[in-house]
Amino acid sequence: MSTPTARTVTQVVTKVIGSATPSSTVRAAPQGGILEGGNPSVYQMTNPIIVFIIQAGIIIIFCRLVHVVLGRFRQPRVIAEVIGGILLGPSVCGHIPHFTTTIFPTASMPTLNTAANLGLILFLFLVGLEVDLRFIKSNWRPALSVGALGMILPFGLGFAVAYGLYHQFRTDSGLVPIQFGTYMLFIGVAMAITAFPVLCRILTELKLLHTPVGIIVLSAGVGNDVIGWILLALCVALVNAGSGLTALWVLLTAVGYALLLTFGIKPAFLWYLRRTGSIDNGPQQSVVAVTLLLVLASAFFTGVIGIHPIFGAFMVGLICPHEGGFAIKMTEKVEDVVTTIFLPLYFALSGLSTNLGLLDDGITWGYVFAVIFVAFFAKITGGTLAARFNGMVWRESFTIGVLMSCKGLVELIVLNIGLSAKILSQRTFTIFVLMALITTFATTPLTSLLYPRWYQIKIEAWKRGEIDWDDNRLELEGGSPRDSVSFAKMQSSEIRRILTYVRVDSMSAVLKLSSLLALNPDSVPEVKVHPTKEGPLAQTASTRTLSKMPLQLHAVRLMELTDRESSVMKVSEIDEYTTRDPILNTVRTFGQLNQIAVAGAVVVTPETSYATSLTDKVSDIKPDLLVIPWSGSGTMSENQYSLGDGSDQRFSNSTYSHFVASALQLASSNVAIFVDRGFGGSNNNEERVSALRTHMNTLSLGDPSIFTAPLLDQGHHIFFPYYGSEDDKAALRFVLQLAQNPTVTATIVHYTMQEARDSESVHRGAPEVTLSEKTTSVALTSRLPGNYATFFSSIRDSLPSDLASRVVFETVVSTTPLRDTMEKAAHEVGRNPMNAGDLIVLGRNWDISAALAAGMNAPSPIVGSEAKRSLGIMAEGAIGRSLPASLLVMAASDGTNGGRTQSFSL
């Protein structure tokens, strides 16, 4: 019999179970999502993230697709983001039934706006980081004149346009009643401002950043940007303030806060950065957190006093130091998320707010053309006249004016502030968005048209007094040309100036090669005497000088210019960045230890322009030899080996081969292509890679048991086959200069190519062998001009006696030169595996490639067609045989750009 307690429990359980039946009217919200029939595209106030993800995904993908098209026309990404927003907005996709209400419902826009404005705050912080006020200090005169006149004229004409816009469109919906003076100030700012971030990228991509035009534009752009933001803050304060007295208090508070940031917070922030070592070593995660908190706090303060939050973020960016690359490193920490996710949302919202359908009558279109004309005419005229007053020629001045007319993303930020403050209606907003797009879109093609590369070279030579305006070369007093050393004399001179492309994967080998060329009799270490000791050694210890000019080594680092803002900042701060580059500092230290004069430079450029940038340095420096090391992976990446079969892919990948082929075509000096295979003693690379793989498998990458053994034998052996061409002549001089080093031995074989005759006549007519007493003779008829053989004989016969013991000349007559050369090379190199590495030197020899290919075997499968065009047919054979030696291919220049043959047929 049940107790009363048991009956009570039973009743409670029954009620609970009954309330959970499907017919119950009280149910929790479905948690199964689409599994319970939920529609993810329906906006829910309690769960807005789902629709936000859909919106962000559509915007980002759409804008990226538009940028793929516009990027081919060298347009900045902001253009694609705004156009993408316009296409997604009411102008295009808005005509698709239910598109806007489904994808961009009105209830979801606050969430999208919040994310976009957070991204805008962080982006203005990045803009402040990018602005380097040192540009104004070092170039204040042209910056002041170009910036001032470039703003005064647009302001004046902007006031005139503002009068018509104000009276024509002030009845549009969504506007707040404001005074004409405030409206006029806003329109003047919109007309006068210049987009510094976009401008900096355009200058970088057009390689104008370090030209007189680029320096003036960048300096004026910095000042223009700062003054524009100040005036915009004033305009916003006037709109938000209830009275003139309130606006005055807002401005005084803003000025006081700016002074507090400059003289109070900035010193404390710098102390904190030095204390944590962030200036020298980059910001730690805690430093990034403190900096971003400072950004948000500053944005909060400027927002609550009646100025837009972006101004606080911008001011924090301005106080961050540029010393030690801190601004660049901080930008690298923040920029990817901001520019990839948040910023496209903001500019796409600009497009969504743009309605081309509102431009529906002739008067409106008249104002569209008027605004565009004033924006172009005023900025171009103001910048041009100011540049002309600073001594620039007219074409340079027009280029400066066109660049200063660039509006870009800064203009769009200004317009969005005007729209949110209800200064602009949607109609006038659309008018100014069109103006911003057109002026930004036109900047790059107009600049390329006005200031092409050939004109830059001409104007630089004219300013140096090398040519007159009609391109006639001028002569110095006495009638001797400025370039007094003829090309022939330069070819026959010793190599004393080298330009090399420095890569991490081949740096040690290139430096070792340079040290062999830098032989100096004073390189023997000097015996030192303690300063307190007396004697002749102590007296002469500090008076030692070089008896021979040292080798000049110009080291160039090529770094890719990406779409990141930090990449552009590296270009604008390239001088300071060059002094901090660890690779160049290593080269400088090596030069000091080996009595080599080293000059280093970092070039940040798009990967597609690597060859052009390198050969531009050739034109500037005029080296005796350009050294291009071959990539360890076959790509532009500087990783030496991949963990697969990367050593085989280094010649089959066309990326690096195309770069080398382009450099060969453009360079105006002799070029040496250097393929490192253990030169300088690193012949245990494969063992180290194998050990690396083993230790990676055991998660023991830091094992200290992997040593590089010291080299007891510092010797090198060189094999060089001479066929008779300009490439071979240059290579022969190079080999003999290397051979002056007492650690180098060389075998030089002269191959003559003749048509077969009977063997008896072969032995009667075979050339006489000198020094080596070795000859391989086959009946041939010479196919080469006699002067090449004469040149070889003269070099051989005039060999100094101190080289006779280390250099061996041979003469070989062959009908199959490629096969015989490879067999001879296999016999010569790799004899001493304990030395510092052997070297095979080859001429590129495109002019006699068909003759050299006689009797060749099948092409090497590991050498691609691009690599074959770059290295030559002889190098292909050496690579295919996997000879145990490094390879250097010499390509002589005829003294003009593009003077080398780039293709051949067999």
Side-chain angles (χ1 to χ4, degrees), residues 157 177 559 562 786 867 906:
L157 294 179
M559 303 183 67
T562 65
L906 298 178

Side-chain angles (χ1 to χ4, degrees), residues 614-692:
L614 187 61
T615 52
D616 285 345
K617 288 291 183 181
V618 173
S619 301
D620 296 338
I621 297 171
K622 296 179 174 57
D624 301 325
L625 182 66
L626 168 63
V627 179
I628 303 178
W630 198 266
S631 168
S633 61
T635 66
M636 300 308 299
S637 170
E638 297 188 16
N639 295 325
Q640 187 168 8
Y641 289 99
S642 64
L643 294 180
D645 56 350
S647 58
D648 291 336
Q649 295 176 358
R650 65 190 302 201
F651 301 106
S652 59
N653 193 311
S654 62
T655 304
Y656 199 81
S657 303
H658 180 73
F659 157 71
V660 175
S662 300
L664 283 170
Q665 183 178 10
L666 297 172
S668 57
S669 68
N670 292 348
V671 179
I673 307 170
F674 184 43
V675 181
D676 176 33
R677 286 185 168 178
F679 195 76
S682 58
N683 54 351
N684 57 343
N685 277 333
E686 289 296 337
E687 288 80 358
R688 283 187 292 167
V689 172
S690 177
L692 176 63

Side-chain angles (χ1 to χ4, degrees), residues 537-601:
L537 288 178
Q539 296 174 0
T540 60
S542 61
T543 61
R544 183 180 182 186
T545 59
L546 294 176
S547 59
K548 183 179 181 180
M549 286 296 294
L551 178 75
Q552 296 180 9
L553 178 62
H554 296 263
V556 176
R557 286 263 287 153
L558 297 178
M559 303 183 67
E560 184 180 5
L561 176 67
T562 65
D563 55 359
R564 291 183 169 93
E565 296 300 323
S566 58
S567 182
V568 179
M569 292 171 67
K570 291 177 183 177
V571 182
S572 61
E573 301 178 20
I574 197 65
D575 293 335
E576 184 177 351
Y577 190 80
T578 298
T579 61
R580 299 193 311 266
D581 185 76
I583 303 301
L584 292 182
N585 285 333
T586 301
V587 177
R588 293 186 186 102
T589 302
F590 178 85
Q592 291 175 334
L593 296 176
N594 291 271
Q595 296 186 358
I596 300 175
V598 175

Side-chain angles (χ1 to χ4, degrees), residues 52 59 109-123 310 338 341-350:
F52 173 77
I59 290 173
M109 297 312 290
T111 303
L112 192 61
N113 270 294
T114 300
N117 279 282
L118 175 61
L120 181 65
I121 290 172
L122 295 176
F123 177 72
I310 64 173
V338 175
I341 297 179
F342 289 115
L343 208 58
L345 301 182
Y346 183 82
F347 292 119
L349 284 176
S350 301

